């Protein structure tokens, strides 16, 4: 018959090994009591064998977990049930001062430098009176986690005082509301208060019943049922729309970014996707601040959202304030230049007027609805130089001009259609021939011989005719120069 080697070094038969395996399965299923170690503590049957089985050189006859390092550290540095007793005093106070005690109060557990009592005018060392009791001091051998556990030594029973305080406040609040309802004669308020009290009592009984522990086979299987805070009427987001082509659900991150019911009414939707939640609240302000921080960092500024979030928020608020001031300043400049209208007209406030407007089938206006021309500080409908259009209404070959006459000089006088024709038709210039020049010269000489030209020159100066050189010379010789200083000496 084959046999196997046990953990203690002896050999076990096949039947014993089979019984041992059946016992392990029964212990894991909770049908058999758990194994007990040397100290009478139960061993979890689900612990693997390579952890629970001790090495052969330790000569362990009974099962135990003391060979594990974690178990040893737990025994030496366990901090769950033991902590410093704050404010506890150790026995009665001494009757006379002891050497090495606190010079102020006389306690042996501290010195005068660390004494928490009020400094006495005459310390216990010199007076020997009112010697304080010694404080209870413990030297706890805590491990790494125990020294850094912020809840270590906390007594959860102290939280019952907080619950009692809130219960008293609620009871007093109900009492005041009930008295106000009695004074005002409000029956609905009284009924509502009574219903609330009954509901609170039912909830308290339900919680007490749910929190009771249901235990089978002590020290083997303990199952404690607590109240589940999840509302059973809530529908999981991946069950809102069972269509395969609906919004994608990621089971790893438990996220559904799109809306599962895009065609439903907004007031009927209880869940509109994670993107809707991310775009609501202060998310937009946070994104603006993050964008500002990135832009500032790219431009060389020392601003970091993660390293100094408070600084980034203050700088962003200062930036928004300056930006609003600049926008208000710009708006004031526009209003001072173009003017402002304190009260809007009624047709703009109410979006309706009494003017009759008739529309065609295509939506164009047939009657009424004259277009309102906005007012400007500059003069409008003023056409200088008899023009019918403004300057810049016509352009050709890189030159601006008037559309009414096609002139490219801004201060030119309008000649109407004539200017357009002159622009369209080229100007033809005819020069006289040689024979025509000879005939003109012969006629001129003939007139001089006949004396017609001489008679014309004898006309007065007021007619504006041109004088000959002889007449000009005679005028200069006989003219008296009054501004000449030597004129009086000439006779």
């Amino acid at each position: 018959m084959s046999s196997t080697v046990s953990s203690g070094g002896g050999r076990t038969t096949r039947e014993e090994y089979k019984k041992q395996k059946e016992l392990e399965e029964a212990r894991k299923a909770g049908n058999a009591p758990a194994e007990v170690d040397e100290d009478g503590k139960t061993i979890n049957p689900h612990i693997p064998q390579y952890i629970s089985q001790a090495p052969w050189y330790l000569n362990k006859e009974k099962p135990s977990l003391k060979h594990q390092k974690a178990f040893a550290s737990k025994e030496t540095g366990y901090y769950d049930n033991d902590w410093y007793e704050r404010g506890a005093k150790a026995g009665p106070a001494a009757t006379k001062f002891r050497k090495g005690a606190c010079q102020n109060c006389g306690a042996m557990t501290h010195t005068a430098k660390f004494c928490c009592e009020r400094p006495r005018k005459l310390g216990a060392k010199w007076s020997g009176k009112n010697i304080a009791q010694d404080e209870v001091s413990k030297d706890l051998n805590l491990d790494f986690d125990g020294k850094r556990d912020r809840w270590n030594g906390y007594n959860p029973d102290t939280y019952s005082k907080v619950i009692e305080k809130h219960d008293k406040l609620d009871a007093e609040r109900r009492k005041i509301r009930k008295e106000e309802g009695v004074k005002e004669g409000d029956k609905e308020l009284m009924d509502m208060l009574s219903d609330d009290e009954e509901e609170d009592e039912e909830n308290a009984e339900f919680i007490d019943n749910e929190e009771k522990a249901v235990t089978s086979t002590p020290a083997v299987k303990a199952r404690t049922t607590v109240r589940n805070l999840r509302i059973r009427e809530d529908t999981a987001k991946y069950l809102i729309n069972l269509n395969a082509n609906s919004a994608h659900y990621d089971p790893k991150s438990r996220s559904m970014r799109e809306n599962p019911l895009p065609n439903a009414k907004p007031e009927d939707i209880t869940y509109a996707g994670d993107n809707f939640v991310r775009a609501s609240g202060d998310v937009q302000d946070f994104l603006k601040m993050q964008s500002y921080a990135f832009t500032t960092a790219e431009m060389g500024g020392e601003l970091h959202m993660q390293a100094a979030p408070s600084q980034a928020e203050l700088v962003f608020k200062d930036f928004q304030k300056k930006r609003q001031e600049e926008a208000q300043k710009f708006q004031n400049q526009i209003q001072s230049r173009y003017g402002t209208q304190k009260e809007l007209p009624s047709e703009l406030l109410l979006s309706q007027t009494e003017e009759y407007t008739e529309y065609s089938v295509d939506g164009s206006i047939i009657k009424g609805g004259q277009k309102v021309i906005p007012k400007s500080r500059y003069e409008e409908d003023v056409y200088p130089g008899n023009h019918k259009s403004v300057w810049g209404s016509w352009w050709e070959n890189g030159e601006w001009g008037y559309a009414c006459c096609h002139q490219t000089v801004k201060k030119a006088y309008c000649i109407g259609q004539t200017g357009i024709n002159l622009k369209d038709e080229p100007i033809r210039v005819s020069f006289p021939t040689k024979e025509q020049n000879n005939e003109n010269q012969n006629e001129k000489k003939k007139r001089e011989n006949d004396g017609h030209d001489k008679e014309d020159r004898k006309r007065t100066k007021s007619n504006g005719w041109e004088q000959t050189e002889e007449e000009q010379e005679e005028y200069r010789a006989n003219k008296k120069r009054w501004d000449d200083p030597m004129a009086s000496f000439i006779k």
Side-chain angles (χ1 to χ4, degrees):
M1 182 177 293
S2 62
S3 61
T4 57
V5 181
S6 65
S7 60
R11 296 182 175 275
T12 57
T13 61
R14 181 178 297 177
E15 294 179 356
E16 293 176 351
Y17 180 77
K18 187 177 181 180
K19 291 180 181 181
Q20 187 177 358
K21 286 294 181 181
E22 290 178 355
L23 181 60
E24 290 178 2
E25 294 295 334
R27 287 172 178 173
K28 291 181 181 180
N31 299 325
E35 195 174 9
V36 183
D37 61 357
E38 297 175 354
D39 300 333
K41 297 179 181 179
T42 59
I43 298 176
N44 193 340
H46 298 281
I47 295 178
Q49 187 179 6
Y50 69 90
I51 294 178
S52 61
Q53 187 176 5
W56 61 270
Y57 50 82
L58 293 179
N59 297 324
K60 292 287 183 180
E61 297 180 357
K62 293 184 178 181
S64 176
L65 295 176
K66 290 185 177 180
H67 60 278
Q68 294 292 337
K69 181 179 179 182
F71 188 87
S73 62
K74 187 175 181 181
E75 288 292 332
T76 55
Y78 195 57
Y79 58 88
D80 191 14
N81 299 323
D82 198 7
W83 190 243
Y84 301 104
E85 297 181 8
R86 294 188 177 91
K89 302 296 182 180
T95 56
K96 61 182 295 185
F97 183 79
R98 293 161 293 179
K99 185 178 181 181
C102 176
Q103 297 179 2
N104 184 42
C105 65
M108 289 292 294
T109 51
H110 62 268
T111 59
K113 182 178 180 181
F114 302 101
C115 185
C116 296
E117 286 193 9
R118 179 179 60 85
R120 302 180 183 181
K121 186 176 181 181
L122 189 63
K125 179 180 179 181
W126 297 275
S127 64
K129 299 178 181 179
N130 298 330
I131 296 176
Q133 297 177 351
D134 298 339
E135 293 91 354
V136 176
S137 61
K138 291 184 178 181
D139 188 12
L140 299 180
N141 187 16
L142 301 178
D143 58 357
F144 182 86
D145 296 328
K147 294 177 182 178
R148 291 157 181 81
D149 188 4
R150 57 193 298 243
W151 291 102
N152 194 0
Y154 173 74
N155 186 9
D157 297 335
T158 57
Y159 190 72
S160 59
K161 298 180 180 179
V162 180
I163 298 175
E164 292 176 1
K165 178 182 177 182
H166 285 279
D167 291 341
K168 291 179 181 179
L169 290 174
D170 292 339
E172 191 67 24
R173 192 180 296 109
R174 287 197 187 94
K175 183 179 178 182
I176 294 172
R177 291 181 64 187
K178 194 171 183 180
E179 292 176 357
E180 292 177 355
V182 171
K183 291 179 181 179
E184 298 177 359
D186 193 352
K187 294 183 179 180
E188 295 181 359
L189 181 61
M190 298 290 294
D191 296 339
M192 183 175 66
L193 291 174
S194 61
D195 294 341
D196 292 343
E197 291 177 358
E198 292 177 359
E199 186 178 354
D200 293 341
E201 292 177 359
E202 292 177 358
N203 291 337
E205 293 177 359
F206 176 76
I207 292 172
D208 293 339
N209 295 332
E210 288 289 333
E211 288 182 351
K212 290 180 180 178
V214 180
T215 307
S216 63
T217 313
V220 177
K221 183 179 180 182
R223 181 174 58 87
T224 304
T225 305
V226 296
R227 186 180 182 184
N228 197 341
L229 300 178
R230 180 176 176 269
I231 301 175
R232 294 297 178 181
E233 288 76 11
D234 289 348
T235 306
K237 60 180 73 174
Y238 53 84
L239 297 177
I240 295 176
N241 190 354
L242 299 179
N243 188 4
N245 297 325
S246 62
H248 174 69
Y249 174 76
D250 186 13
K252 185 175 182 180
S253 60
R254 299 181 182 179
S255 62
M256 181 182 287
R257 295 176 177 84
E258 299 179 0
N259 187 2
L261 300 173
N263 299 325
K265 295 181 180 179
E267 57 270 13
D268 298 338
I269 296 176
T270 58
Y271 177 75
D274 295 341
N275 289 338
F276 177 80
V277 179
R278 292 171 183 171
S280 60
D282 298 335
V283 178
Q284 297 296 331
D285 297 337
F286 177 78
L287 293 178
K288 291 179 182 178
M289 182 169 61
Q290 192 177 33
S291 176
Y292 173 74
F294 289 159
T295 307
T296 307
E298 289 177 358
M299 297 175 63
E302 296 181 358
L303 192 65
H304 201 280
M305 282 283 296
Q306 284 73 28
S310 302
Q311 179 189 6
E313 186 174 359
L314 292 175
V315 173
F316 181 64
K317 286 183 178 179
D318 191 15
F319 167 73
Q320 283 185 326
K321 184 178 179 181
K322 291 182 180 179
R323 191 174 184 179
Q324 292 176 358
E325 291 177 356
E326 291 293 334
Q328 186 65 29
K329 184 179 179 182
F330 180 70
Q331 186 176 2
N332 295 337
Q333 291 178 355
I334 293 177
Q335 291 178 357
S336 62
R337 175 175 293 184
Y338 297 103
T340 179
Q341 193 170 3
K342 296 182 180 179
E343 296 182 359
L344 294 174
S346 59
E347 58 267 13
L348 294 180
L349 289 174
L350 304 177
S351 300
Q352 58 185 1
T353 61
E354 298 295 334
E355 297 179 359
Y356 175 76
T357 307
E358 186 176 349
Y359 297 91
S360 64
V361 180
D362 58 352
S364 59
I365 298 175
I366 300 175
K367 185 178 180 181
Q370 287 79 11
K371 187 178 180 181
V372 180
I373 302 175
K375 295 181 180 180
S376 175
R377 62 180 297 216
Y378 302 102
E379 296 180 354
E380 297 181 0
D381 300 333
V382 178
Y383 302 103
N386 199 27
H387 288 282
K388 300 296 187 296
S389 60
V390 295
W391 167 259
S393 58
W394 182 74
W395 183 86
E396 185 180 11
N397 298 330
E399 294 182 350
W400 295 99
Y402 295 95
C404 55
C405 59
H406 291 188
Q407 294 198 74
T408 57
V409 181
K410 189 172 183 179
K411 295 184 178 181
Y413 190 80
C414 182
I415 56 177
Q417 189 65 28
T418 306
I420 298 175
N421 297 335
L422 291 175
K423 284 286 184 180
D424 296 339
E425 298 178 2
I427 302 175
R428 297 179 180 179
V429 181
S430 59
F431 296 96
T433 60
K434 189 175 181 180
E435 296 177 354
Q436 291 177 353
N437 292 334
N438 295 332
E439 291 178 358
N440 293 333
Q441 291 178 2
N442 294 332
E443 289 179 359
K444 187 176 181 181
K445 289 180 181 179
K446 188 176 182 181
R447 288 184 63 186
E448 291 176 356
N449 296 331
D450 293 342
H452 297 290
D453 202 9
K454 189 175 182 180
E455 291 177 359
D456 295 337
R457 293 193 192 95
K458 289 182 179 180
R459 294 175 181 173
T460 59
K461 296 179 181 179
S462 61
N463 293 334
W465 290 84
E466 188 178 355
Q467 297 178 352
T468 60
E469 293 181 1
E470 291 81 5
E471 291 174 349
Q472 292 179 2
E473 185 66 29
E474 184 180 357
Y475 171 75
R476 286 194 293 269
N478 298 331
K479 180 182 177 181
K480 191 171 183 179
R481 296 175 175 82
W482 301 100
D483 56 345
D484 190 2
M486 303 298 293
S488 58
F489 296 99
I490 299 175
K491 295 182 180 179

